[in-house]
Amino acid sequence: MNLLTATMQLKWNESLAEFGFIASVIMFMLAIMRMSKVKTARSGNWLAAGAMALAVISQFVEEGQINPVFIIVGIVAGSAIGAYLAWRVQMTQMPEMVALLNGFGGLASMFVGLASYFQFIETGARGTLASLPAVGAFTGVNLMLTVIVGGLTFTGSVIAFLKLSEKIRGVPILLPARHAINVALGLLALGFSALAVWAVSNSVLGVLLLVLVGLLALAMGVTLVLAIGGGDMPVVISLLNSYSGIAGALAGFTIHSPVLIVSGSLVGASGIILTMIMCKAMNRSLANVMFGGFGAAETGEKKKDEYKNVKSCDVEEAALVLADAQSCIVVPGYGMAVAQAQHAVRELSDQLAKRGCTVRYAVHPVAGRMPGHMNVLLAEANVPYDQLFEMDAINSDFKNTDVAIVIGANDVVNPAAKDNKASPLYGMPVLNVEEARSVFVIKRSLGAGFAGVKNELFEKDNVRMLYADGRKACEDLIKALKEA
Amino acid sequence: MNAFILLEIYVFVLACFAGFQLISKVPPTLHTPLMSGSNAISGITILGAMYVAKVSAEAPFGASTIFGMLACALAMINVVGGFAVTERMMRMFKKKD
């Protein structure tokens, strides 16, 4: 619906389309509700897909007599590419895939903004900008904001994609005076936007300003996300997800479509909630994640923290302890994803379960590179989700546990977060692995984690380091257990 | 102030509140699928893309049509790709029998 024409009597096809839009909005809301519960999540996804199909059909019905060739070509091509990408992607590449898809959504919104601007120029006086001054300014401002938010969502997501797929280094890249650069880019984009709205009747100047705003927005996405480290990507991805929803809502204001406004803001709001959950899990503010340059210490002077009294062991020793264990908690981290060790970890826990040991998994909310990363990987390896426990549900059980196996996790098990006020991690909720009777840390070397902080866990008396590749270590442990 | 714009702002504010309320407590197991599912929903911008990509008596062919067509394609990558990866992830979540 175009609310601007709402005073006029709607044609029959437009009325029909409105009912379709209302139904699809209701379906979207129900879908998001269902997606937040494990039992109903899958049906929720299908409901959302159905709502999307209904919205697209309704849009066709509303447009009535048009030449739809360009729309259909775009839809067919996009659907084919989307289906191909989704079919081909490995489960381990899911974080970067989600980031990339999100980027395409942002770019789509940006192009809607650009196209709307061109439409105003092409239709001349018939456009709403010229005929209705107050509406024109509002529409114009929203149009430019669509371009800005869509553009920075696109490049921000692409940078996140490159960092997650390790095509560029994960450490924060801090430009000198980056805060000043970001503020300047933002102010310039807003200033040129105002000029572009004002200049819409002068097409050459208008388009020039429009392109300039677009380029500034694209640059902003790059500078903002380059400065954020790989370990903070869970926050960044959910925030960018929220942005792409907001860009959609802004596009809705631009073409005056309520269904776009509603669905866009639903996504925007739910993305913000996930973002806040992630920040809370690290006990850091959103501003600190976005602008703090956290983890940059790694790149600076290579100050090596001295480790004292670290005890290592080999696979046979570890297998001996595991063979007698009655209870075991596995703590996975990003390293498990890198080593692609999730299947080996599952087999190891099967082997332990066969010997009468209860195996559970403790999943820290920010373990990995996207919200829920470990859950997806372990699900891929067929670990039943009722063996996965949230930090709060399992943290008090470590002290009654025989063995804790830390595989590829570092900062989320660092006890310094609890008792060392000088540590940058201080205050972050962590897993109490050191309370288990014995702890094995599977790790390739004694290197620092994402935060670049020394891990005091490694110096505890009940902790043994098992230096190996995660997958290899698990496979060797299975072999040793079978012989024991 | 135009009444329709006001109405749109009401719709926006209410939808934001609804968005906050709909997801009160999400189990961590679902963080990734929820994110990629809602990411697919953000492809709703396809409606805006269709609006600008059409060619009709009021909307002649021009740069807007080309950008609109590209926007249609990009939005559909987001929509189809998003729902499909979410379905793939959801299929993996199961309880031990």
Side-chain angles (χ1 to χ4, degrees):
Chain A
M1 173 173 59
N2 185 328
L3 279 174
L4 292 176
T5 58
T7 43
M8 288 175 261
Q9 197 63 40
L10 294 176
K11 293 194 206 100
W12 71 268
N13 62 316
E14 290 169 337
S15 313
L16 188 64
E18 285 325 313
F19 285 109
F21 284 141
I22 292 169
S24 74
V25 164
I26 294 171
M27 285 160 74
F28 275 132
M29 297 223 199
L30 292 174
I32 292 187
M33 256 162 83
R34 294 184 80 84
M35 275 196 255
S36 59
K37 293 186 187 67
V38 176
K39 271 188 190 153
T40 55
R42 201 173 156 197
S43 65
N45 188 47
W46 280 103
L47 188 60
M52 187 64 76
L54 179 60
V56 168
I57 293 167
S58 302
Q59 186 73 27
F60 268 120
V61 172
E62 174 167 278
E63 298 292 357
Q65 291 207 315
I66 53 161
N67 175 355
V69 171
F70 298 97
I71 299 174
I72 291 171
V73 168
I75 286 182
V76 170
S79 303
I81 298 170
Y84 175 75
L85 289 177
W87 169 66
R88 248 206 46 181
V89 66
Q90 304 273 316
M91 274 302 146
T92 43
Q93 297 167 327
M94 226 25 121
E96 54 257 43
M97 194 60 195
V98 172
L100 193 64
L101 290 172
N102 190 51
F104 287 138
L107 191 61
S109 287
M110 186 193 197
F111 280 5
V112 171
L114 296 177
S116 305
Y117 195 91
F118 285 116
Q119 212 169 41
F120 286 135
I121 294 174
E122 288 156 11
T123 52
R126 268 175 296 170
T128 45
L129 272 187
S131 52
L132 294 163
V135 179
F138 182 78
T139 307
V141 167
N142 278 303
L143 189 162
M144 299 313 295
L145 285 176
T146 311
V147 173
I148 294 173
V149 178
L152 73 86
T153 304
F154 172 60
T155 45
S157 301
V158 169
I159 299 290
F161 164 79
L162 292 173
K163 286 200 174 197
L164 289 167
S165 54
E166 300 195 318
K167 292 189 172 69
I168 57 175
R169 290 190 63 203
V171 293
I173 298 166
L174 303 178
L175 302 169
R178 65 205 161 87
H179 296 306
I181 291 175
N182 287 332
V183 170
L185 285 174
L187 288 178
L188 279 175
L190 289 177
F192 286 136
S193 294
L195 288 174
V197 174
W198 169 74
V200 73
S201 53
N202 178 344
S203 55
V204 179
L205 179 63
V207 170
L208 210 66
L209 287 164
L210 183 71
V211 170
L212 210 55
V213 172
L215 291 176
L216 286 168
L218 294 174
M220 242 190 306
V222 175
T223 55
L224 282 172
V225 179
L226 267 185
I228 305 170
D232 283 340
M233 283 300 141
V235 182
V236 176
I237 296 194
S238 35
L239 190 67
L240 287 169
N241 188 26
S242 165
Y243 282 175
S244 71
I246 292 167
L250 288 166
F253 279 116
T254 307
I255 65 159
H256 304 285
S257 162
V259 62
L260 249 176
I261 298 175
V262 172
S263 321
S265 33
L266 283 179
V267 175
S270 63
I272 293 276
I273 291 190
L274 264 186
T275 310
M276 292 191 308
I277 293 176
M278 294 298 119
C279 286
K280 216 176 127 205
M282 296 191 291
N283 192 36
R284 284 161 58 202
S285 69
L286 183 57
N288 178 282
V289 174
M290 293 301 292
F291 307 114
F294 196 76
E298 256 182 314
T299 43
E301 44 184 310
K302 285 263 177 202
K303 199 178 90 205
K304 277 266 182 314
D305 287 304
E306 290 293 319
Y307 278 100
K308 279 170 288 195
N309 193 28
V310 174
K311 295 162 291 295
S312 65
C313 72
D314 56 24
V315 171
E316 282 69 29
E317 282 179 71
L320 275 180
V321 178
L322 278 171
D324 293 331
Q326 293 300 305
S327 54
C328 172
I329 297 178
V330 179
V331 182
Y334 181 58
M336 183 185 79
V338 174
Q340 302 221 8
Q342 64 271 25
H343 291 276
V345 168
R346 210 277 326 273
E347 282 161 33
L348 176 61
S349 39
D350 285 352
Q351 191 63 38
L352 288 169
K354 243 185 245 170
R355 311 180 68 98
C357 173
T358 47
V359 182
R360 289 180 295 171
Y361 294 82
V363 181
H364 193 278
V366 293
R369 289 293 188 263
M370 73 175 164
H373 194 176
M374 293 301 120
N375 302 75
V376 173
L377 285 179
L378 292 170
E380 191 215 353
N382 287 322
V383 174
Y385 70 74
D386 45 12
Q387 286 182 8
L388 307 184
F389 288 83
E390 294 175 41
M391 178 166 56
D392 295 336
I394 204 167
N395 233 359
S396 54
D397 288 359
F398 276 103
K399 57 180 178 290
N400 305 319
T401 300
D402 291 336
V403 183
I405 304 175
V406 178
I407 171 157
N410 196 338
D411 295 334
V412 297
V413 293
N414 192 341
K418 284 179 287 190
D419 46 30
N420 182 355
K421 284 202 174 131
S423 168
L425 292 174
Y426 184 72
M428 171 169 150
V430 289
L431 291 160
N432 300 328
V433 279
E434 74 280 0
E435 289 177 1
R437 246 150 260 140
S438 44
V439 180
F440 293 104
V441 178
I442 301 175
K443 209 170 173 312
R444 262 185 300 205
S445 67
L446 211 49
F450 158 68
V453 180
K454 172 182 167 179
N455 195 337
E456 295 174 10
L457 175 73
F458 304 160
E459 292 177 338
K460 304 270 180 193
D461 285 331
N462 57 340
V463 177
R464 296 286 180 278
M465 307 297 295
L466 189 56
Y467 296 115
D469 171 74
R471 191 155 138 195
K472 178 96 179 25
C474 288
E475 283 162 0
D476 291 348
L477 278 172
I478 296 166
K479 221 182 289 168
L481 272 175
K482 278 184 183 155
E483 286 158 16
Chain B
M1 189 78 195
N2 184 294
F4 300 121
I5 291 177
L6 211 58
L7 202 59
E8 286 180 352
I9 296 173
Y10 273 115
V11 168
F12 175 71
V13 172
L14 289 175
C16 283
F17 271 100
F20 279 120
Q21 292 304 316
L22 287 179
I23 305 174
S24 42
K25 206 164 184 281
V26 197
T29 309
L30 286 178
H31 281 169
T32 300
L34 177 76
M35 198 179 60
S36 73
S38 63
N39 176 31
I41 296 178
S42 74
I44 187 72
T45 198
I46 179 71
L47 301 188
M50 290 169 71
Y51 180 82
V52 288
K54 66 169 179 252
V55 175
S56 69
E58 286 85 33
F61 175 85
S64 63
T65 320
I66 299 300
F67 275 106
M69 183 175 74
L70 291 174
C72 279
L74 290 162
M76 282 317 282
I77 296 177
N78 191 188
V79 169
V80 175
F83 284 130
V85 293
T86 311
E87 165 65 15
R88 275 188 63 185
M89 278 188 271
M90 299 277 200
R91 239 186 276 165
M92 298 183 316
F93 291 122
K94 48 187 165 233
K95 274 192 167 168
K96 197 164 194 168
D97 326 299

